[in-house]
Amino acid sequence: MSYRILAINPGSTSTKIAVYEDETPVFTTSIQHSPDELKPFHNASEQLAWRLELVLKALEDNNIAVKSLDAVVGRGGLIHPVESGTYEVNEYLRRDLTHAQRQHASNLGGLIAHEIAVKAGVKAYIADPVTVDEYMPYARISGLPELPRISTLHALNQKAIARRYAKEIGEDYDKLNLIVCHMGGGSSVGAHRKGKIIDATNGFNGMGPFTPERAGTLPPGQLIDLCYSGKYTHDEMVKKMVGQGGLVAHLGTSSVPEILDRIDHGDLHAMLILRAMCYTTAKAIGEMAIALKGHVDAILLTGGVAHSKRLTDFIADHVNFIAPIYVYPGENELESLAMNALAVLTGERQAKVYESEPDNVDPAQINDTSKPSKLREILSQNIKLNYATKRSLTAIRRYLRSLPAKSSRKRHASDD
């Protein structure tokens, strides 16, 4: 039996859709939205009915009957943190997409999918939203309790590329340790340990490499001074971080091909900035190797920027000592959405249920046993394991034990 799936990926200036027959795309289009068309809307949520009609018209114009669909899947939005997976759109998910923590076109993916699924008499899904959070407990902690590290990354493409690599080598994704680096207008680098993204750089507006449009990690003291300099409003500072940062701030464009052309015509400043961006990306890959304790099966480079062999070669030159490197250019988000829905339809994976409230992960409340907490359960279990495991030597002691006696004596002498 074959399945027909509609995948929907709303972006800031377009709505991309595709219809798949199992793994084969039979119709793909990108509906462009001009500034004049978007001008009447104050935010993304107001665009729901308008974008829905555009999608329905595109299907009708291409003789795709809504009733012929077996499932509809939309890009996940900025909902509360969830585990990776494919989620059936329920009332709680629709509520959180409608009243999302931030306005973004991706919030419309599940909502449009729901409306079309109702017409088709089938189920609607989202898959691997940007708020996927599978962090190790201590990966969420920063130096200020008011500023926890938040998991916001290109989970959809990262997971899809990781599974694709695993399939190509005949291995299970949940048996591999991978570093996946998505490089687009925004970037995110994730440490995938046995099927879970245990740590990552913030792909939206936090710490990580700078990108074509985003500022990434900045010197905190200088950033505070800039915020209070009186030169910029709050909104202007947000735009400097996301949209007007990175390559745009330095070179006035986010187009990597344009910058490469400038370099070919002797622009040394462009070369310096582009190499710096790649260098910060390579450093982020190194950080994720630490999260995996150096046990890395492969490094996967993906996203639109990965189309440039000059850039991927520069990054590879800095990190190929960690693990073999494989390049998967592009994003393939529509395909990833469709394949997640197909896995549910075929029974390969089970759809997950979106809960009304997120798990309590506030570190300050971890000792309050009156509130359920997966974080408390994880840490408590780790404590039991640590006590139960008898270790004759800690890591540092093993290291010192491995040193030659002569060098050890020299070290102690110099310490005096």
Side-chain angles (χ1 to χ4, degrees):
M1 177 181 179
S2 63
Y3 295 97
R4 176 171 279 198
I5 301 163
L6 169 63
I8 305 167
N9 180 14
S12 57
T13 60
S14 69
T15 302
K16 299 175 182 177
I17 63 174
V19 175
Y20 276 74
E21 296 280 1
D22 290 339
E23 298 180 356
T24 305
V26 296
F27 167 65
T28 302
T29 189
S30 179
I31 306 168
Q32 298 300 310
H33 311 313
S34 69
D36 288 340
E37 290 176 314
L38 294 169
K39 191 174 182 180
F41 303 104
H42 295 95
N43 52 52
S45 61
E46 294 182 0
Q47 301 171 17
L48 175 59
W50 174 65
R51 292 208 195 205
L52 171 62
E53 288 304 315
L54 291 174
V55 172
L56 290 172
K57 187 176 186 306
L59 294 176
E60 181 181 356
D61 291 346
N62 289 274
N63 300 314
I64 305 291
V66 170
K67 289 290 187 178
S68 70
L69 300 173
D70 295 295
V72 188
V73 58
R75 184 181 176 192
L78 291 158
I79 53 178
H80 69 64
V82 294
E83 292 181 345
S84 172
T86 303
Y87 290 82
E88 185 177 342
V89 178
N90 58 21
E91 60 177 309
Y92 300 123
L93 183 51
R94 284 161 50 206
R95 179 200 63 190
D96 286 0
L97 288 171
T98 303
H99 307 286
Q101 54 184 290
R102 298 187 191 97
Q103 282 292 320
H104 193 275
S106 63
N107 299 332
L108 298 173
L111 297 174
I112 297 174
H114 168 75
E115 296 295 331
I116 296 177
V118 169
K119 295 178 183 295
V122 298
K123 291 183 177 180
Y125 303 96
I126 65 166
D128 291 334
V130 294
T131 54
V132 163
D133 185 347
E134 300 170 327
Y135 276 14
M136 298 180 292
Y138 42 86
R140 298 186 180 91
I141 309 300
S142 79
L144 287 176
E146 301 96 330
L147 302 176
R149 293 185 68 240
I150 297 172
S151 178
T152 309
L153 72 158
H154 302 85
L156 179 62
N157 192 43
Q158 285 209 21
K159 288 279 186 175
I161 293 301
R163 292 191 181 102
R164 176 179 168 183
Y165 168 76
K167 185 177 181 179
E168 288 177 354
I169 66 170
E171 187 58 89
D172 292 332
Y173 166 53
D174 57 7
K175 292 182 180 179
L176 296 172
N177 284 354
L178 304 170
I179 298 174
V180 185
C181 177
H182 175 104
M183 301 179 292
S187 297
S188 60
V189 186
H192 296 235
R193 184 179 67 191
K194 306 296 189 288
K196 301 287 186 181
I197 305 177
I198 61 170
D199 200 354
T201 60
N202 188 317
F204 188 71
N205 64 353
M207 298 176 69
F210 75 81
T211 77
E213 299 176 355
R214 299 176 188 177
T217 300
L218 297 171
Q222 294 164 253
L223 178 60
I224 292 170
D225 290 341
L226 191 62
C227 288
Y228 285 91
S229 66
K231 295 180 180 179
Y232 306 103
T233 65
H234 175 274
D235 288 345
E236 287 171 338
M237 283 302 302
V238 170
K239 289 178 181 178
K240 287 181 79 67
M241 290 292 296
V242 181
Q244 298 177 2
L247 297 183
V248 172
H250 285 284
L251 302 173
T253 180
S254 62
S255 171
V256 170
E258 178 184 333
I259 294 170
L260 289 171
D261 183 66
R262 285 162 58 173
I263 293 171
D264 290 339
H265 286 81
D267 189 336
L268 297 181
H269 180 229
M271 177 187 287
L272 174 67
I273 300 304
L274 195 60
R275 287 191 172 188
M277 183 185 78
C278 294
Y279 177 63
T280 62
T281 303
K283 288 200 297 182
I285 291 171
E287 289 180 22
M288 295 305 116
I290 297 298
L292 295 172
K293 299 180 181 178
H295 302 299
V296 184
D297 294 302
I299 298 169
L300 313 180
L301 305 181
T302 183
V305 173
H307 281 291
S308 171
K309 187 176 184 298
R310 290 160 67 175
L311 270 60
T312 56
D313 282 354
F314 184 90
I315 294 169
D317 190 46
H318 287 77
V319 300
N320 58 13
F321 69 95
I322 298 173
I325 298 167
Y326 299 85
V327 181
Y328 297 87
E331 299 181 2
N332 303 312
E333 291 181 328
L334 289 171
E335 179 184 353
S336 301
L337 288 169
M339 293 308 99
N340 274 278
L342 181 62
V344 171
L345 292 175
T346 59
E348 180 184 340
R349 292 197 293 272
Q350 295 295 315
K352 295 185 176 181
V353 178
Y354 185 80
E355 302 290 348
S356 60
E357 297 294 338
D359 180 60
N360 176 31
V361 294
D362 183 356
Q365 298 181 11
I366 197 169
N367 293 323
D368 184 355
T369 56
S370 67
K371 298 178 179 179
S373 171
K374 291 181 182 177
L375 179 60
R376 185 189 309 116
E377 294 174 10
I378 293 171
L379 289 178
S380 297
Q381 185 63 32
N382 283 344
I383 288 174
K384 293 176 183 177
L385 288 173
N386 287 338
Y387 280 130
T389 304
K390 295 181 180 179
R391 297 175 178 174
S392 58
L393 295 172
T394 63
I396 187 64
R397 285 174 179 168
R398 285 198 299 271
Y399 169 70
L400 292 175
R401 178 70 62 87
S402 68
L403 291 175
K406 182 181 292 186
S407 63
S408 178
R409 287 195 299 271
K410 286 183 178 180
R411 184 182 65 258
H412 293 309
S414 63
D415 288 344
D416 295 339

